């Protein structure tokens, strides 16, 4: 039998700092630590399959260690308020999950874990200790192992520490972890150890003498430097006190515990309601939870009738009625073979019309065309995807007045998911029926057709319910123009772009891939010759061995699994060790071949074009992202990477017209900050980087060197992203002191920018958010975090989001303006790509000049700023030539 015990405080802390997104419910309760804790818990339970499970917690009260040693854990920072508020809720969750919880006044969670592990062993059980702290490593035996948990970037991982793995890492038995800490101390617990003895010396001494008793017994005749011996002699009392403090108590008195009392049980019925409150829709599904009674998804105050539409005359009567309605809520199946239309018919009454191709006797395409025509005002969810499906069926949809997914995204851009069921749970505290209508076999003989149709009906009703709430919130947050003038009109633009796709020269792409493969092979041979043996260049472990052991290159960074061979590390060794340059070149060729040449070839459709998907609700800044494939990460910084753009071509008889904003973020920095010097430079048409260099370096404009301009450019763009002097020094190859001096000179010359940076961070700290010129908002709970790194991240976002987000808003407005004008004046031209600050139009070759004029005028006119929006436009047979 096996019992798993979690160190609750340790794991929840790792979860809190590991999940960077500060998740919170609609009513403001933070949940990221709870969510992360449960993910760690469920993953490790699946991995270990223990028969019994429990969690220990520290109490907010002094322990026997505090009473014996006043400085114990002194100076430890208090728990952040955002985490503190989650602890009692987490305990409620564990209660509802039927997971026993242990706490005892006067003792720490570690002591309870120690007692639990030893009682398990006496009962013949195995024990698995889950913690992020190394204190528990002293408990490791043949029947107790420790799973050390770490979290990073929202992902958790764990490492099994057994007697064998512990000895392999430390070189002594686990129980002597106490002796190690007795010598080196523990800053986090404020344990002194032996003053002046660090981890390296302590490890060496314990490996040789095993315990402090054996060590002090042999003093002063041990093998060590005289200075070390002196420190050990003077620090013996401190070492022995630290030993006592660091020893986990395994015989906690009056502690009622038996492994059998912790056998796993089914969750209590209250867990469903608690997860609903916490908006854990995915966990509800994962745990298979259901409410005790029927889910309150229906709106009790509304009586809903259902009408199955089978005849053309019946459909026409309904269409007339919908044309007169204020709006209807519509959801369609992805393949457009069915739809549900929900509308309110009177006070407390509503109707759902079920439209299915399989039982409709009339012209189905005509019905779709009429339903999705502009004269019927419609509310839906993910309008852009619906519009693309309609275009692929030959129907140009219109008349959409609201998109519940887009609205929810605008109101909270950091939620990550805007599924209908999750939003309904968030805003109404109730679950929708499972969306069976989205399952592949839902409407086949294998599926439950009635249940699938009912789930689509419920979803359409949910869209209407969300519309009522979200519409009010959009108005309250002053996002009217953002939704109705930018995001909603953009849905049609993006649907058309996705449908059109962009032509790609497959043969040229194959040739490019073959060239990269040949270059990889050449580099492989060169690297093997330089290394003196063949090895797997793509294996970090093997590469680390070659570079840092066989070739004796000084390692810059180590990871848990060995030497780091990341791009960041190798970049620092570039130009010093020739083999490193060859490896970096090999990686570049391999990436170009696998990700781009091979990857893009797979995405070319039967029409010879790639049809990417533009994602509207992914980035927190409002920028569009691209997927399947991602065309926004086509490399441009290297000449070889830029060659990929040559593969993107125009249709026969056409060219690509490419236009991009020049330095839009810097222009927005000038506009938003109101810095008169920067505004004057832009209005005068000056080279902003050269002008900045002249001011920062104190030289005449004509004396600015290319290197000065490059440095000034790095400062200009770095300022927008809240760059530090350390990062700037790495970017431009100077000392940190020199980089700091550059920044000080910059702020002295551009006082308005400095004032903006100070004011926007302070404003964000006070109100908890920042916004763009169109009131696109980004919540910043990170600014209230007690964690320095998280707080610094929040400050950088506060600086950049108003600028980058406003740039995104302007680009979206420009896309709508360009598309509308092309439809009016040059209908044969069409937008095919949007890449960051760049728009690409495919048009007949003889219309290239007119299209470039449209691009320049509409993009420049998308916003009126204190500085001109400069747009550069070119045309060519392919994307590279159009640049």
């Amino acid at each position: 039998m096996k019992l798993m015990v979690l160190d609750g405080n340790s794991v929840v802390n790792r979860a809190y700092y590991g999940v960077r997104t500060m998740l919170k419910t609609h009513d403001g309760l933070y949940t990221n630590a709870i969510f992360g804790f449960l993910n760690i818990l469920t993953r490790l339970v699946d991995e270990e399959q223990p028969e019994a499970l429990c969690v220990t917690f520290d109490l907010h009260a002094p322990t026997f260690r505090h009473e014996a040693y006043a400085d114990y854990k002194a100076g430890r920072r208090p728990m952040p308020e955002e985490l503190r508020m989650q602890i009692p809720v987490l305990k409620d969750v564990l209660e509802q999950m039927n997971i026993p919880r242990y706490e005892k006044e006067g003792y720490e969670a570690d002591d309870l874990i120690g007692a639990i592990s030893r009682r398990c062993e006496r009962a013949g059980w195995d024990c698995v200790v889950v913690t992020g702290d190394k204190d528990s490593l002293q408990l490791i035996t043949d029947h107790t192992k420790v799973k050390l948990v770490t979290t990073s970037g929202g992902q958790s991982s764990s490492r099994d520490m057994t007697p064998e793995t512990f000895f392999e890492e430390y070189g002594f038995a686990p129980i002597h972890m106490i002796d190690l800490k007795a010598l080196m101390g523990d800053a986090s617990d404020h344990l002194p150890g032996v003053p002046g003895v660090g981890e390296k010396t302590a490890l060496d001494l314990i490996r040789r003498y095993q315990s402090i008793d054996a060590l002090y017994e042999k003093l002063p005749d041990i093998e060590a430097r005289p200075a070390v011996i002196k420190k050990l002699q003077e620090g013996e009392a401190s070492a022995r006190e630290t030993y006592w403090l660091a020893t986990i108590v395994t015989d906690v008195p009056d502690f009622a515990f038996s492994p059998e009392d912790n056998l796993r049980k089914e969750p209590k019925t209250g867990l469903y309601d608690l997860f609903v409150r916490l908006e854990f829709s995915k966990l509800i599904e994962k745990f298979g939870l259901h409410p005790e009674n029927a889910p309150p998804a229906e709106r009790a105050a509304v009586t809903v009738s259902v009408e199955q539409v089978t005849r053309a005359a019946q459909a026409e009567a309904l269409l007339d009625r919908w044309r007169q309605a204020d709006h209807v809520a519509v959801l369609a199946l992805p393949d457009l073979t069915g739809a549900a239309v929900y509308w309110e018919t009177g006070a407390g009454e509503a109707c759902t019309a079920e439209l299915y191709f399989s039982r409709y006797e009339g012209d189905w395409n005509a019905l779709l065309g009429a339903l999705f025509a502009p004269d019927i005002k419609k509310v839906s969810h993910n309008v852009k995807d619906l519009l693309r499906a309609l275009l692929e069926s030959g129907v140009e949809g219109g008349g959409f007045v609201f998109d519940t997914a887009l609205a929810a995204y605008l109101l909270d851009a950091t939620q990550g998911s805007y599924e209908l069921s999750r939003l309904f749970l968030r805003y109404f505290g109730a679950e929708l029926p499972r969306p069976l209508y989205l399952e592949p076999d839902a409407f086949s003989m294998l599926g439950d057709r009635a249940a699938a149709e009912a789930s689509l009906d419920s979803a359409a009703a949910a869209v209407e319910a969300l519309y009522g709430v979200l519409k009010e919130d959009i108005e309250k947050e002053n996002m009217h123009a953002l939704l109705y003038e930018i995001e909603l009109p953009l849905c049609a633009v993006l649907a058309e772009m996705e449908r059109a796709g962009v032509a790609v020269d497959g043969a040229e792409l194959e040739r490019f891939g073959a060239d990269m493969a040949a270059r990889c092979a050449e580099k492989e041979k060169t690297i093997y010759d330089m290394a003196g043996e063949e090895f797997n260049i793509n294996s970090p472990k093997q590469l680390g061995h070659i570079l840092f052991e066989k070739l004796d290159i000084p390692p810059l960074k180590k990871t848990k699994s060995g030497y780091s061979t990341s791009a960041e590390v190798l970049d620092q060794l570039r130009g010093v060790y020739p083999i490193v340059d060859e490896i970096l070149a090999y990686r570049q060729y391999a990436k170009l071949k696998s990700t781009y040449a091979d990857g893009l070839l797979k995405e070319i459709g039967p029409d010879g074009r790639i049809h990417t998907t533009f994602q509207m609700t992914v980035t927190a800044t409002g920028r569009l992202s691209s997927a399947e494939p991602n065309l926004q990460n086509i490399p441009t910084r290297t000449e070889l990477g830029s060659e990929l753009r040559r593969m993107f071509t125009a249709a026969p008889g056409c060219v690509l017209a490419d236009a991009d904003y020049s330095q839009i973020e810097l222009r927005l920095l000038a506009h938003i900050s109101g810095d008169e010097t920067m505004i004057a430079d832009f209005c005068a048409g000056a080279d902003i980087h050269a002008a900045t260099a002249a001011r920062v370096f104190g030289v005449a404009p004509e004396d600015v060197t290319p290197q000065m301009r490059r440095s000034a450019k790095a400062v200009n763009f770095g300022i927008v992203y809240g760059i530090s002097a350390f990062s700037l020094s790495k970017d431009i190859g100077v000392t940190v002191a020199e980089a700091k001096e550059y920044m000080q000179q910059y702020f002295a010359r551009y006082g308005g920018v400095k004032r903006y940076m100070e004011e926007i961070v302070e404003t964000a700290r006070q109100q908890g958010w920042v916004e763009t010129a169109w009131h696109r908002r980004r919540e910043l709970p990170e600014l209230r975090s007690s964690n320095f790194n998280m707080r610094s991240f929040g400050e950088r976002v506060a600086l950049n989001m108003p600028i980058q987000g406003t740039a995104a808003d302007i680009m979206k407005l420009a896309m709508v303006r360009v598309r509308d004008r092309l439809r009016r004046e040059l209908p044969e031209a069409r937008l095919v790509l949007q890449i960051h600050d760049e728009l690409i139009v495919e048009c007949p070759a003889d219309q290239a000049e007119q299209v470039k004029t449209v691009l320049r005028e509409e993009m420049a006119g998308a916003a009126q700023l204190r500085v001109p929006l400069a747009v550069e436009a070119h045309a060519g047979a392919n994307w590279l030539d159009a640049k």
Side-chain angles (χ1 to χ4, degrees):
M1 301 284 279
K2 183 196 296 183
L3 178 141
M4 188 163 82
V5 53
L6 278 76
D7 181 344
N9 292 84
S10 173
V11 174
V12 80
N13 264 282
R14 265 73 184 170
Y16 174 76
Y17 290 112
V19 182
R20 279 191 64 173
T21 302
M22 297 287 283
L23 303 176
K24 63 179 179 179
T25 62
H26 189 55
D27 58 5
L29 172 66
Y30 289 99
T31 59
N32 59 314
I34 303 170
F35 183 77
F37 183 99
L38 293 176
N39 277 332
I40 293 170
L41 171 64
T42 53
R43 180 177 64 79
L44 295 184
V45 165
D46 289 344
E47 188 177 300
E48 289 290 335
Q49 293 294 312
E51 284 79 16
L53 183 64
C54 64
V55 182
T56 66
F57 282 97
D58 294 323
L59 286 174
H60 190 60
T63 67
F64 71 90
R65 294 181 178 87
H66 292 92
E67 293 172 358
Y69 180 59
D71 287 338
Y72 183 62
K73 295 191 176 181
R76 179 174 283 194
R77 287 182 299 181
M79 185 180 290
E81 183 56 35
E82 298 88 351
L83 173 57
R84 185 185 301 281
M85 70 168 64
Q86 297 182 60
I87 300 299
V89 183
L90 173 60
K91 292 180 179 180
D92 289 344
V93 169
L94 294 172
E95 175 70 24
Q96 294 304 317
M97 290 178 73
N98 251 332
I99 297 175
R101 188 178 83 246
Y102 294 96
E103 305 162 335
K104 185 172 178 61
E105 191 167 327
Y107 291 86
E108 297 180 63
D110 286 349
D111 299 317
L112 305 185
I113 290 172
I116 288 168
S117 68
R118 297 303 176 252
R119 292 194 193 183
C120 283
E121 292 179 2
R122 287 198 293 271
W125 285 51
D126 288 331
C127 183
V128 179
V129 176
V130 178
T131 182
D133 295 330
K134 294 183 179 180
D135 296 346
S136 295
L137 294 177
Q138 62 186 272
L139 300 173
I140 295 172
T141 66
D142 289 338
H143 293 282
T144 296
K145 76 173 179 181
V146 171
K147 294 184 85 74
L148 275 180
V149 174
T150 58
T151 53
S152 177
Q155 299 295 319
S156 66
S157 60
S158 60
R159 186 162 48 115
D160 283 2
M161 297 297 288
T162 63
E164 293 75 25
T165 56
F166 181 92
F167 187 85
E168 184 179 337
E169 182 169 336
Y170 287 93
F172 49 80
I175 191 62
H176 295 306
M177 191 72 184
I178 313 171
D179 300 276
L180 177 67
K181 186 171 281 194
L183 294 182
M184 62 181 277
D186 185 340
S188 65
D189 288 344
H190 212 264
L191 299 181
V194 175
V197 173
E199 182 177 9
K200 186 176 180 181
T201 300
L203 274 168
D204 178 62
L205 291 170
I206 299 302
R207 282 170 181 160
R208 282 193 283 133
Y209 299 100
Q210 301 298 301
S211 70
I212 61 170
D213 284 341
L215 176 65
Y216 277 108
E217 186 179 326
K218 293 179 173 60
L219 274 181
D221 301 322
I222 64 169
E223 295 179 18
R225 288 180 286 113
V228 172
I229 294 173
K230 185 170 186 282
K231 290 173 184 175
L232 289 170
Q233 289 172 328
E234 293 175 351
E236 181 175 0
S238 178
R240 295 195 178 279
E241 183 178 35
T242 300
Y243 183 94
W244 180 79
L245 290 167
T247 301
I248 292 176
V249 175
T250 59
D251 56 350
V252 176
D254 302 320
F255 179 49
F257 178 87
S258 173
E260 292 82 2
D261 293 340
N262 300 273
L263 290 170
R264 289 167 61 188
K265 302 173 186 175
E266 289 296 313
K268 298 179 182 179
T269 55
L271 184 61
Y272 172 85
D273 291 332
L274 188 50
F275 275 7
V276 166
R277 177 192 162 204
L278 297 175
E279 300 171 10
F280 288 167
S281 55
K282 294 295 184 186
L283 290 178
I284 289 174
E285 183 179 338
K286 185 172 185 176
F287 280 70
L289 301 177
H290 302 283
E292 289 186 81
N293 305 310
E298 293 95 12
R299 298 159 72 198
V302 178
T303 302
V304 182
S305 60
V306 177
E307 182 173 351
Q308 293 188 356
V309 181
T310 59
R311 294 171 287 105
Q314 179 190 13
E316 193 54 51
L318 286 172
L319 289 166
D320 284 341
R321 189 166 187 179
W322 296 336
R323 291 183 186 106
Q324 305 305 315
D326 176 74
H327 69 277
V328 296
V330 182
L331 271 187
L333 299 180
D335 62 2
L336 298 182
T337 58
V341 182
Y342 178 99
W343 76 104
E344 294 184 352
T345 56
E349 295 182 348
C351 184
T352 300
E354 297 180 341
L355 296 80
Y356 288 95
F357 171 74
S358 59
R359 57 173 176 248
Y360 185 65
E361 299 169 1
D363 184 333
W364 180 252
N365 281 343
L367 175 57
L368 287 180
L371 172 59
F372 292 106
D375 58 353
I376 296 177
K377 298 181 181 66
K378 293 168 287 290
V379 175
S380 193
H381 193 79
N382 289 324
V383 167
K384 187 264 296 178
D385 294 341
L386 176 52
L387 284 170
R388 177 174 175 177
L390 288 166
L391 285 172
E392 289 172 347
S393 295
V395 176
E396 184 174 343
F400 289 96
V401 297
F402 202 85
D403 184 332
T404 47
L406 277 179
Y409 162 68
L410 295 181
L411 290 165
D412 190 346
T414 59
Q415 278 300 300
S417 172
Y418 301 92
E419 295 172 0
L420 189 60
S421 57
R422 179 172 179 175
L423 293 179
F424 197 79
L425 182 66
R426 179 177 175 83
Y427 283 92
F428 296 102
E431 266 201 303
L432 286 173
R434 193 168 131 207
L436 296 173
Y437 64 91
L438 293 176
E439 297 187 357
D441 296 323
F443 294 91
S444 71
M445 293 179 64
L446 301 174
D448 185 342
R449 184 183 181 94
E453 291 182 4
S455 71
L456 181 59
D457 292 351
S458 294
V463 169
E464 174 64 25
L466 284 166
Y467 171 59
V469 174
L470 297 174
K471 183 182 179 184
E472 290 184 7
D473 287 351
I474 287 289
E475 297 299 329
K476 185 170 66 177
E477 301 300 340
N478 204 15
M479 293 179 174
H480 183 98
L482 182 61
L483 177 62
Y484 297 107
E485 297 175 18
I486 298 179
E487 298 289 350
L488 264 179
L490 187 66
C491 291
V493 180
L494 295 176
E496 291 168 7
M497 292 170 65
E498 290 179 3
R499 173 69 176 148
V502 59
V504 176
D505 187 334
E508 188 65 16
L509 204 53
E510 282 190 46
R511 184 206 60 75
F512 182 80
D515 181 33
M516 293 304 102
R519 295 191 188 207
C520 279
E522 290 175 9
K523 289 299 175 187
E524 268 187 353
K525 185 176 184 311
T526 301
I527 292 166
Y528 294 156
D529 289 344
M530 297 173 83
E533 64 177 274
E534 292 190 5
F535 64 99
N536 183 355
I537 301 171
N538 297 313
S539 164
K541 187 172 182 179
Q542 292 184 37
L543 180 59
H545 167 73
I546 293 292
L547 295 180
F548 305 119
E549 293 180 0
K550 183 174 181 180
L551 300 181
D552 285 329
I553 294 175
L556 300 181
K557 184 179 179 182
K558 288 200 77 173
T559 65
K560 292 174 187 174
S561 55
Y563 300 104
S564 172
T565 58
S566 67
E568 181 184 5
V569 167
L570 295 190
D571 269 340
Q572 295 179 61
L573 301 172
R574 185 196 297 270
V576 181
Y577 302 96
I579 192 173
V580 172
D581 294 68
E582 299 297 322
I583 290 165
L584 288 170
Y586 168 84
R587 285 184 176 180
Q588 180 194 13
Y589 300 148
K591 175 83 171 176
L592 288 170
K593 180 185 186 303
S594 62
T595 301
Y596 299 107
D598 297 346
L600 291 175
L601 272 171
K602 295 174 186 174
E603 299 293 341
I604 300 176
D607 59 355
R609 302 173 78 89
I610 286 179
H611 300 266
T612 189
T613 297
F614 292 102
Q615 299 172 310
M616 301 180 72
T617 60
V618 171
T619 71
T621 60
R623 278 183 176 265
L624 294 171
S625 64
S626 165
E628 299 178 344
N630 181 0
L631 296 183
Q632 299 203 338
N633 69 346
I634 302 294
T636 59
R637 293 187 178 180
T638 64
E639 184 177 339
L640 195 57
S642 294
E643 274 296 308
L644 281 166
R645 293 191 171 201
R646 195 180 300 283
M647 289 45 160
F648 291 81
T649 63
C654 292
V655 295
L656 297 181
D658 182 300
D660 67 288
Y661 284 112
S662 173
Q663 303 165 338
I664 187 171
E665 291 188 0
L666 281 179
R667 292 172 188 271
L668 284 170
L669 176 61
H671 170 77
I672 294 173
S673 70
D675 187 279
E676 295 299 337
T677 302
M678 192 176 284
I679 289 172
D681 285 342
F682 276 123
C683 289
D687 177 339
I688 190 67
H689 301 313
T692 300
R695 292 192 176 90
V696 169
F697 294 106
V699 299
E702 60 270 18
D703 294 331
V704 170
T705 66
Q707 180 57 50
M708 287 178 178
R709 187 183 183 280
R710 281 193 294 272
S711 296
K713 183 177 181 179
V715 176
N716 270 329
F717 285 116
I719 291 298
V720 177
Y721 290 91
I723 198 169
S724 66
F726 175 75
S727 297
L728 180 62
S729 70
K730 292 174 67 177
D731 287 349
I732 62 178
V734 299
T735 66
V736 175
E738 287 174 310
K740 188 173 182 181
E741 175 65 21
Y742 291 169
M743 293 178 71
Q744 289 173 344
Q745 290 294 329
Y746 180 94
F747 288 130
R749 303 300 186 273
Y750 297 101
V753 173
K754 187 174 192 299
R755 186 169 56 253
Y756 161 75
M757 294 177 68
E758 293 169 347
E759 290 177 354
I760 192 64
V761 171
E762 184 55 34
T763 298
R765 190 174 286 115
Q766 290 178 8
Q767 65 189 17
W769 47 267
V770 290
E771 65 178 7
T772 70
W774 277 267
H775 306 291
R776 184 186 300 277
R777 181 176 292 191
R778 169 74 183 269
E779 299 284 340
L780 286 173
E782 295 88 352
L783 289 173
R784 295 188 293 273
S785 173
S786 60
N787 179 271
F788 174 79
N789 290 333
M790 193 171 286
R791 198 166 59 249
S792 297
F793 168 77
E795 291 172 357
R796 290 193 298 273
V797 172
L799 289 171
N800 177 247
M801 194 276 170
I803 295 168
Q804 193 176 89
T806 299
D809 294 342
I810 290 173
M811 172 53 84
K812 289 178 174 180
L813 267 173
M815 292 173 73
V816 174
R817 290 166 61 105
V818 167
R819 177 261 197 178
D820 289 349
R821 186 165 166 191
L822 289 177
R823 282 169 70 97
R824 290 193 309 268
E825 300 177 9
L826 300 162
E828 292 179 277
R830 55 184 177 174
L831 270 169
V832 292
L833 276 182
Q834 184 271 332
I835 310 289
H836 305 309
D837 302 327
E838 184 178 356
L839 286 182
I840 301 171
V841 172
E842 185 179 65
C843 65
D846 59 1
Q847 295 179 6
E849 291 306 315
Q850 294 166 276
V851 168
K852 286 194 294 181
T853 297
V854 170
L855 284 166
R856 279 192 292 261
E857 291 178 355
E858 298 306 325
M859 290 174 70
Q864 301 303 311
L865 308 178
R866 303 184 204 188
V867 299
L869 276 174
V871 178
E872 297 176 358
H874 306 279
N878 57 61
W879 188 5
L880 185 62
D881 290 346
K883 289 296 291 179

